[in-house]
PDB file of all heavy atoms in Angstrom:
ATOM      1  N   GLY A1087     188.486  -9.546 138.688  1.00 95.00           N
ATOM      2  CA  GLY A1087     189.125  -9.509 137.363  1.00 95.00           C
ATOM      3  C   GLY A1087     190.043 -10.715 137.139  1.00 95.00           C
ATOM      4  O   GLY A1087     190.824 -10.711 136.192  1.00 95.00           O
ATOM      5  N   LYS A1088     189.936 -11.722 138.006  1.00 97.00           N
ATOM      6  CA  LYS A1088     190.737 -12.934 137.816  1.00 97.00           C
ATOM      7  C   LYS A1088     189.860 -14.150 137.980  1.00 97.00           C
ATOM      8  O   LYS A1088     189.255 -14.353 139.012  1.00 97.00           O
ATOM      9  CB  LYS A1088     191.848 -13.007 138.873  1.00 97.00           C
ATOM     10  CG  LYS A1088     192.935 -12.012 138.697  1.00 97.00           C
ATOM     11  CD  LYS A1088     194.007 -12.213 139.752  1.00 97.00           C
ATOM     12  CE  LYS A1088     194.965 -11.073 139.757  1.00 97.00           C
ATOM     13  NZ  LYS A1088     195.859 -11.127 140.937  1.00 97.00           N
ATOM     14  N   LEU A1089     189.771 -14.931 136.938  1.00 98.00           N
ATOM     15  CA  LEU A1089     189.035 -16.196 136.982  1.00 98.00           C
ATOM     16  C   LEU A1089     190.032 -17.300 137.326  1.00 98.00           C
ATOM     17  O   LEU A1089     191.118 -17.379 136.747  1.00 98.00           O
ATOM     18  CB  LEU A1089     188.443 -16.526 135.605  1.00 98.00           C
ATOM     19  CG  LEU A1089     187.668 -17.831 135.539  1.00 98.00           C
ATOM     20  CD1 LEU A1089     186.296 -17.668 136.132  1.00 98.00           C
ATOM     21  CD2 LEU A1089     187.570 -18.311 134.098  1.00 98.00           C
ATOM     22  N   ILE A1090     189.693 -18.122 138.287  1.00 98.00           N
ATOM     23  CA  ILE A1090     190.571 -19.230 138.701  1.00 98.00           C
ATOM     24  C   ILE A1090     189.892 -20.559 138.313  1.00 98.00           C
ATOM     25  O   ILE A1090     188.695 -20.733 138.515  1.00 98.00           O
ATOM     26  CB  ILE A1090     190.778 -19.225 140.251  1.00 98.00           C
ATOM     27  CG1 ILE A1090     191.262 -17.894 140.761  1.00 98.00           C
ATOM     28  CG2 ILE A1090     191.677 -20.370 140.683  1.00 98.00           C
ATOM     29  CD1 ILE A1090     192.643 -17.500 140.352  1.00 98.00           C
ATOM     30  N   VAL A1091     190.720 -21.465 137.785  1.00 98.00           N
ATOM     31  CA  VAL A1091     190.297 -22.842 137.573  1.00 98.00           C
ATOM     32  C   VAL A1091     191.198 -23.659 138.443  1.00 98.00           C
ATOM     33  O   VAL A1091     192.423 -23.610 138.313  1.00 98.00           O
ATOM     34  CB  VAL A1091     190.376 -23.281 136.081  1.00 98.00           C
ATOM     35  CG1 VAL A1091     189.922 -24.722 135.915  1.00 98.00           C
ATOM     36  CG2 VAL A1091     189.560 -22.340 135.196  1.00 98.00           C
ATOM     37  N   SER A1092     190.610 -24.451 139.336  1.00 97.00           N
ATOM     38  CA  SER A1092     191.368 -25.164 140.357  1.00 97.00           C
ATOM     39  C   SER A1092     190.737 -26.509 140.646  1.00 97.00           C
ATOM     40  O   SER A1092     189.655 -26.819 140.104  1.00 97.00           O
ATOM     41  CB  SER A1092     191.435 -24.294 141.641  1.00 97.00           C
ATOM     42  OG  SER A1092     192.254 -24.894 142.627  1.00 97.00           O
ATOM     43  N   ALA A1093     191.362 -27.263 141.539  1.00 95.00           N
ATOM     44  CA  ALA A1093     190.831 -28.558 141.962  1.00 95.00           C
ATOM     45  C   ALA A1093     191.148 -28.731 143.434  1.00 95.00           C
ATOM     46  O   ALA A1093     192.021 -28.013 143.977  1.00 95.00           O
ATOM     47  CB  ALA A1093     191.447 -29.674 141.112  1.00 95.00           C
ATOM     48  N   PRO A1094     190.489 -29.655 144.121  1.00 92.00           N
ATOM     49  CA  PRO A1094     190.658 -29.770 145.566  1.00 92.00           C
ATOM     50  C   PRO A1094     192.096 -29.909 146.058  1.00 92.00           C
ATOM     51  O   PRO A1094     192.467 -29.354 147.071  1.00 92.00           O
ATOM     52  CB  PRO A1094     189.851 -31.031 145.919  1.00 92.00           C
ATOM     53  CG  PRO A1094     188.814 -31.089 144.858  1.00 92.00           C
ATOM     54  CD  PRO A1094     189.454 -30.587 143.624  1.00 92.00           C
ATOM     55  N   ALA A1095     192.937 -30.685 145.343  1.00 89.00           N
ATOM     56  CA  ALA A1095     194.317 -30.909 145.801  1.00 89.00           C
ATOM     57  C   ALA A1095     195.296 -29.897 145.271  1.00 89.00           C
ATOM     58  O   ALA A1095     196.492 -29.971 145.561  1.00 89.00           O
ATOM     59  CB  ALA A1095     194.772 -32.308 145.436  1.00 89.00           C
ATOM     60  N   ASN A1096     194.827 -28.917 144.474  1.00 91.00           N
ATOM     61  CA  ASN A1096     195.757 -27.922 143.889  1.00 91.00           C
ATOM     62  C   ASN A1096     196.381 -27.047 144.971  1.00 91.00           C
ATOM     63  O   ASN A1096     195.718 -26.653 145.891  1.00 91.00           O
ATOM     64  CB  ASN A1096     195.037 -27.049 142.891  1.00 91.00           C
ATOM     65  CG  ASN A1096     194.985 -27.592 141.501  1.00 91.00           C
ATOM     66  OD1 ASN A1096     195.082 -28.803 141.298  1.00 91.00           O
ATOM     67  ND2 ASN A1096     194.794 -26.747 140.541  1.00 91.00           N
ATOM     68  N   ASP A1097     197.639 -26.698 144.741  1.00 89.00           N
ATOM     69  CA  ASP A1097     198.261 -25.599 145.414  1.00 89.00           C
ATOM     70  C   ASP A1097     198.072 -24.375 144.509  1.00 89.00           C
ATOM     71  O   ASP A1097     197.761 -24.546 143.334  1.00 89.00           O
ATOM     72  CB  ASP A1097     199.749 -25.840 145.619  1.00 89.00           C
ATOM     73  CG  ASP A1097     200.027 -26.967 146.595  1.00 89.00           C
ATOM     74  OD1 ASP A1097     199.227 -27.133 147.552  1.00 89.00           O
ATOM     75  OD2 ASP A1097     201.015 -27.683 146.427  1.00 89.00           O
ATOM     76  N   GLU A1098     198.310 -23.181 145.055  1.00 89.00           N
ATOM     77  CA  GLU A1098     198.104 -21.977 144.262  1.00 89.00           C
ATOM     78  C   GLU A1098     198.869 -22.018 142.930  1.00 89.00           C
ATOM     79  O   GLU A1098     198.378 -21.562 141.917  1.00 89.00           O
ATOM     80  CB  GLU A1098     198.534 -20.745 145.034  1.00 89.00           C
ATOM     81  CG  GLU A1098     197.428 -19.726 145.170  1.00 89.00           C
ATOM     82  CD  GLU A1098     197.851 -18.546 146.018  1.00 89.00           C
ATOM     83  OE1 GLU A1098     198.607 -17.690 145.499  1.00 89.00           O
ATOM     84  OE2 GLU A1098     197.431 -18.509 147.186  1.00 89.00           O
ATOM     85  N   GLU A1099     200.098 -22.577 142.938  1.00 90.00           N
ATOM     86  CA  GLU A1099     200.898 -22.588 141.701  1.00 90.00           C
ATOM     87  C   GLU A1099     200.334 -23.549 140.662  1.00 90.00           C
ATOM     88  O   GLU A1099     200.717 -23.481 139.492  1.00 90.00           O
ATOM     89  CB  GLU A1099     202.387 -22.907 141.994  1.00 90.00           C
ATOM     90  CG  GLU A1099     202.639 -24.286 142.543  1.00 90.00           C
ATOM     91  CD  GLU A1099     202.666 -24.354 144.032  1.00 90.00           C
ATOM     92  OE1 GLU A1099     202.414 -23.334 144.733  1.00 90.00           O
ATOM     93  OE2 GLU A1099     202.945 -25.428 144.563  1.00 90.00           O
ATOM     94  N   ASN A1100     199.427 -24.452 141.030  1.00 92.00           N
ATOM     95  CA  ASN A1100     198.788 -25.372 140.097  1.00 92.00           C
ATOM     96  C   ASN A1100     197.520 -24.814 139.486  1.00 92.00           C
ATOM     97  O   ASN A1100     196.990 -25.340 138.521  1.00 92.00           O
ATOM     98  CB  ASN A1100     198.454 -26.704 140.762  1.00 92.00           C
ATOM     99  CG  ASN A1100     199.652 -27.395 141.342  1.00 92.00           C
ATOM    100  OD1 ASN A1100     199.703 -27.607 142.557  1.00 92.00           O
ATOM    101  ND2 ASN A1100     200.597 -27.723 140.508  1.00 92.00           N
TER     102      ASN A1100
END
Side-chain angles (χ1 to χ4, degrees):
K1088 290 182 190 169
L1089 179 80
I1090 307 291
V1091 180
S1092 185
N1096 273 23
D1097 292 327
E1098 237 178 76
E1099 65 266 5
N1100 301 118

